[in-house]
Amino acid sequence: MFFSAALPLACLPSQPVEAVEGGSATLQCRLDPPINLSSKTVEWNRGHTLYVHVYRSRRDDPDSQMLQYRDRTTLNHGDLTTGVSTLTISNVSLSDNGSYEVYLPQLEVRCSTHLTVVTKEQENQTKRNDSSTTSPPAGERNDASNREAGRAAIIPTVLLILILVVLLVLKNGKIPICKKEGEPKTSEGDQQSAAEEGLVGSEVTDGNNQPSHTVY
């Protein structure tokens, strides 16, 4: 259902559009309340007088548009019946950057939107930045996983080597095993040690039982 043009009209633009150089961009403005624009004149322009696309008398008028946009613009005629003006610009270039306006002369209504064109290098850089802030590259994730797996495998190996070394040393008698206090000393080495311990701190006497010197 459409309303009379006598009602106050608002023209609502689309959000600013970003397109990649060499691709296409779609700009849109719609009337609220909607009015069938099929029989109206619809002008898309830049700077009010530089025509990007002109639609009048129920058909496109390519003779009125700038040479820069010749054969590169398409107006969706079906959307006009719902009060929406949808313009697609193909093969966009950096010179297409800027503000675009829809002007409906019979209704005295204007509506503006903005187009930003970026190079392919800029788009790739943006994608790389977005990727780096969300998660590390797959190669880095694999490297981290490999490092964790390597550390997990090294720890048991080191422990096993230490156990084997201790067992080997014990077997070869490199580490003396202390006997419990009060345990009899039976070996020759133990007897010699005991004799040495008995001499430590005792006095040595001569034939007349007179102390000659103290052995430490």
Side-chain angles (χ1 to χ4, degrees):
M1 178 178 179
F2 299 101
F3 297 86
S4 170
L7 295 175
L9 288 175
C11 190
L12 308 176
S14 62
Q15 295 295 325
V17 176
E18 182 175 295
V20 181
E21 186 178 18
S24 61
T26 299
L27 309 176
Q28 190 177 81
C29 289
R30 62 185 180 87
L31 292 179
D32 184 27
I35 293 176
N36 190 337
L37 299 175
S38 297
S39 61
K40 308 297 183 183
T41 297
V42 179
E43 300 175 352
W44 277 90
N45 58 61
R46 301 182 68 180
H48 301 303
T49 58
L50 303 176
Y51 295 118
V52 175
H53 191 99
V54 178
Y55 172 88
R56 60 167 58 96
S57 301
R58 296 181 178 273
R59 65 182 180 85
D60 297 320
D61 182 10
D63 294 335
S64 299
Q65 69 181 151
M66 300 166 58
L67 290 177
Q68 176 184 350
Y69 294 96
R70 188 73 58 86
D71 299 324
R72 290 202 300 126
T73 60
T74 303
L75 185 69
N76 189 322
H77 293 180
D79 284 354
L80 293 176
T81 62
T82 62
V84 178
S85 180
T86 304
L87 181 72
T88 300
I89 305 174
S90 61
N91 193 26
V92 295
S93 63
L94 296 179
S95 63
D96 293 329
N97 270 306
S99 295
Y100 290 76
E101 180 187 71
V102 175
Y103 177 50
L104 308 173
Q106 287 102 334
L107 302 176
E108 290 294 324
V109 173
R110 297 181 185 274
C111 183
S112 299
T113 187
H114 191 85
L115 171 62
T116 300
V117 181
V118 298
T119 64
K120 293 181 179 180
E121 290 76 11
Q122 289 173 321
E123 182 195 30
N124 293 335
Q125 182 63 42
T126 300
K127 289 181 178 179
R128 286 194 294 269
N129 292 340
D130 292 342
S131 177
S132 64
T133 56
T134 54
S135 62
E140 293 183 8
R141 292 197 298 269
N142 291 336
D143 290 343
S145 298
N146 292 336
R147 288 194 295 269
E148 291 295 334
R151 284 194 290 268
I154 288 174
I155 293 175
T157 303
V158 172
L159 290 177
L160 180 60
I161 292 175
L162 290 176
I163 292 172
L164 292 176
V165 169
V166 171
L167 292 176
L168 183 62
V169 170
L170 291 176
K171 182 177 180 182
N172 294 334
K174 298 297 184 181
I175 299 178
I177 301 177
C178 298
K179 294 185 178 181
K180 295 181 180 179
E181 185 177 355
E183 192 174 293
K185 302 178 180 179
T186 56
S187 65
E188 182 179 351
D190 292 339
Q191 293 174 357
Q192 182 178 355
S193 297
E196 292 176 352
E197 291 177 1
L199 291 176
V200 174
S202 63
E203 293 182 348
V204 179
T205 60
D206 56 11
N208 297 324
N209 293 325
Q210 297 295 323
S212 59
H213 59 277
T214 301
V215 178
Y216 293 97

